[in-house]
Amino acid sequence: MSGQALPPEGGYPNVKRTLIGGTPGSLTLSGHTLHGHTQTGHTSDTQTDPGAVRAGSGLWGGAPSPGTLPERLREIDLTLAPERERVIDAEEIAAYLEADGLGDEVLRERYGTGGLFDAAERLYRQRGTGRALHRPAAQSVPAFPWHTLLRGPLYLLPGLSGLLVAREMGSGAGAAFAFAAAFGWGWTMLIAGVRYAEPLAVPGRALRLATLLSGVIGLIGGAVVAALSAGADALSPGVIASGAAVGGAVALSTGAAGVLLALRRTGQFAGAFASPLLAAGIVYAEPSRPGAVVALLLLAFVPLLTALNVTRAPGTLPARWATLRPHLRHAAYGWSLALTFVLLTGRLGAWTLLPLVISTGLLEAGVWHVQERLQHAARRSVSLRALRRSGLPTLLVAAATYALVLGAWVYLAARLPIPAWAQAHPDAWTLVPTYGAATLLSAWLANHRQLPLLTGLWLLLAALLASPLIPLSSPLLAGTLLAVCAFLTALSLRTLLDPRSYR
């Protein structure tokens, strides 16, 4: 973000420039965010001659001369950011120097001081004189990740295949499918958390455990849900078996899909679900129970084998429940989103909310691009105030753009010659964009230490949708969604005031 003074011959020994040489939006915030996990990045330093260094002090309003500092120590003084100059005592400066690799011996031999505390005392007496050069490094604006748009339609493949098959599996299979799909929504977030817990490698053992566990939970949960939905009169071993088969296959394939998407294997993802989707389409066109069983087997095992193949590298994370447990909060957040989506689908219809599913890739691309733009602003800004001024509109513009895209989609779809049963809700043009903007804001906030609050918010909305407090009348439903969106907007603005949000 800010330029650096010209270093001595050979550079500063053992100096980590992530701490010296910038405001909160500089190298300290130049990490690359991976769905809430930071990996140290790099920026280039702008080098100038000593004359430019001295001239740069005029940009800050005629600061006095550094005085009697040794030449090399003066260069360190010039790289101290404004917030570093407002320290309480010399010991705080000593802590900064030591943390940056400038120890007692280095400061004696290379910087002409009496040691660490002597240098700290000298720098402390220069409070208000050392200024980072007011010259942000030139960097190009990050490009929009258009390739991520394909992820939206890919999310449909496991659910669509399971839905086409479930209708041929008898009573209880539909309820088992709904359970498995909702469970998979949250479980894929847990899988993403496990993957980024080891960002520089593939945590194969942990990902395999998460995938196989999804199938076990889907198997048991599908059987229980099918039995509960069938009732005492229609309950039979066949109903339980059908529910277990559908729940296990859909949950296992969703877990495998989460692994493939987390590892960015979109080509293998499409190939893994090609044969199950084809078999499900054949069953839909020519209904048969044996064909449905074959389609379920393909849906369960072809994606599973593909996921096992791409996770052959064991990684360092062990295959234990303790590895997955820290990421359950991500799963809980996903389940709250899934519950809200299911209840909204019951009120508005599946075709009304279909644009949200297909445009999931656009939502993810928007969240990713927002964070890249915030990182870019952090490297360009020369003060915390300038950083906030450039960063605050970024997220709001992304949410508004996503809402406009969904609104245009609904507007154009309403004018297509499609059957009446596929028509969207009459008020979809307001409900869908509002809900979409809220989900984008929520997705960004989930990467910034707000998971418990977001989980509670979506569960509260789900409780309101399930209760008679919000009737089917659209004005009250639209007002509720607008209130949720307004709350998330305010929370986003508050979060953007924290410099850590720009990492």
Side-chain angles (χ1 to χ4, degrees):
M1 163 176 164
S2 55
Q4 303 291 333
L6 187 65
E9 188 107 15
Y12 300 125
N14 303 321
V15 176
K16 299 178 181 177
R17 292 187 179 269
T18 55
L19 291 177
I20 287 183
T23 61
S26 181
L27 300 179
T28 55
L29 299 179
S30 64
H32 185 60
T33 300
L34 295 174
H35 298 282
H37 302 273
T38 302
Q39 177 182 342
T40 303
H42 303 274
T43 59
S44 60
D45 295 338
T46 302
Q47 295 185 345
T48 60
D49 58 69
V53 170
R54 295 182 180 88
S57 62
L59 295 170
W60 296 90
S65 170
T68 61
L69 287 178
E71 184 65 27
R72 289 182 176 178
L73 192 61
R74 187 183 306 171
E75 292 167 355
I76 295 179
D77 179 54
L78 287 169
T79 62
L80 289 177
E83 74 276 10
R84 306 275 177 83
E85 298 160 13
R86 294 190 292 270
V87 295
I88 299 175
D89 52 32
E91 292 184 359
E92 189 172 347
I93 292 184
Y96 278 127
L97 294 172
E98 194 168 29
D100 289 351
L102 296 174
D104 190 78
E105 183 178 353
V106 173
L107 289 167
R108 288 178 186 274
E109 295 179 357
R110 291 191 57 85
Y111 291 91
T113 70
L116 175 62
F117 288 100
D118 177 61
E121 288 287 352
R122 294 190 185 200
L123 291 171
Y124 181 71
R125 289 195 296 268
Q126 301 296 314
R127 293 173 64 191
T129 66
R131 297 288 188 178
L133 292 181
H134 193 81
R135 187 178 302 167
Q139 294 182 355
S140 59
V141 178
F144 189 82
W146 294 104
H147 62 278
T148 312
L149 301 184
L150 295 176
R151 291 167 66 95
L154 291 179
Y155 280 120
L156 278 175
L157 299 185
L160 181 59
S161 302
L163 182 62
L164 294 177
V165 175
R167 59 190 295 270
E168 298 300 325
M169 295 298 293
S171 175
F177 166 78
F179 163 79
F183 166 77
W185 188 327
W187 200 253
T188 55
M189 292 190 175
L190 178 144
I191 289 175
V194 172
R195 188 268 173 275
Y196 290 115
E198 191 175 340
L200 301 182
V202 177
R205 291 176 295 182
L207 290 177
R208 288 186 173 193
L209 173 64
T211 304
L212 296 175
L213 195 57
S214 67
V216 173
I217 296 175
L219 190 76
I220 298 173
V224 172
V225 170
L228 294 176
S229 64
D233 296 336
L235 185 61
S236 66
V239 170
I240 297 176
S242 296
V246 172
V250 173
L252 185 60
S253 65
T254 305
V259 171
L260 294 172
L261 288 176
L263 296 176
R264 300 175 181 268
R265 305 297 182 91
T266 53
Q268 290 167 288
F269 183 103
F273 285 94
S275 57
L277 184 60
L278 178 61
I282 294 175
V283 171
Y284 180 79
E286 298 290 339
S288 89
R289 183 64 176 261
V293 173
V294 172
L296 277 181
L297 291 174
L298 290 174
L299 180 61
F301 291 107
V302 175
L304 173 63
L305 293 176
T306 306
L308 294 178
N309 180 60
V310 300
T311 55
R312 287 175 296 175
T316 59
L317 295 178
R320 299 174 184 172
W321 174 249
T323 303
L324 307 183
R325 188 171 56 239
H327 307 286
L328 283 176
R329 55 197 178 97
H330 297 281
Y333 167 67
W335 292 329
S336 66
L337 284 174
L339 182 59
T340 304
F341 186 85
V342 169
L343 293 172
L344 273 177
T345 301
R347 286 174 174 261
L348 305 178
W351 289 101
T352 300
L353 298 182
L354 182 62
L356 285 165
V357 180
I358 297 179
S359 66
T360 302
L362 178 60
L363 183 148
E364 292 183 350
V367 172
W368 183 272
H369 189 57
V370 163
Q371 197 60 41
E372 286 187 323
R373 293 297 297 265
L374 293 177
Q375 294 171 14
H376 179 263
R379 300 184 186 107
R380 294 280 303 168
S381 301
V382 295
S383 68
L384 188 56
R385 178 179 297 180
L387 175 61
R388 289 170 174 169
R389 186 168 57 248
S390 61
L392 285 177
T394 304
L395 179 59
L396 302 185
V397 169
T401 303
Y402 184 55
L404 288 175
V405 170
L406 290 175
W409 186 324
V410 172
Y411 176 82
L412 294 176
R415 280 148 182 79
L416 296 176
I418 56 179
W421 54 269
Q423 292 284 348
H425 192 276
D427 294 316
W429 65 276
T430 57
L431 299 174
V432 172
T434 305
Y435 181 54
T439 54
L440 187 144
L441 293 171
S442 179
W444 182 82
L445 286 167
N447 290 331
H448 293 276
R449 306 167 299 279
Q450 301 291 346
L451 275 179
L453 181 59
L454 294 172
T455 303
L457 176 66
W458 290 111
L459 287 177
L460 176 61
L461 179 59
L464 291 174
L465 292 174
S467 70
L469 296 177
I470 300 182
L472 294 177
S473 60
S474 296
L476 189 55
L477 179 58
T480 303
L481 291 178
L482 281 172
V484 171
C485 191
F487 175 80
L488 291 173
T489 301
L491 183 60
S492 299
L493 293 175
R494 179 177 177 272
T495 304
L496 283 168
L497 296 178
D498 186 348
R500 292 175 297 176
S501 301
Y502 296 81
R503 292 187 296 186

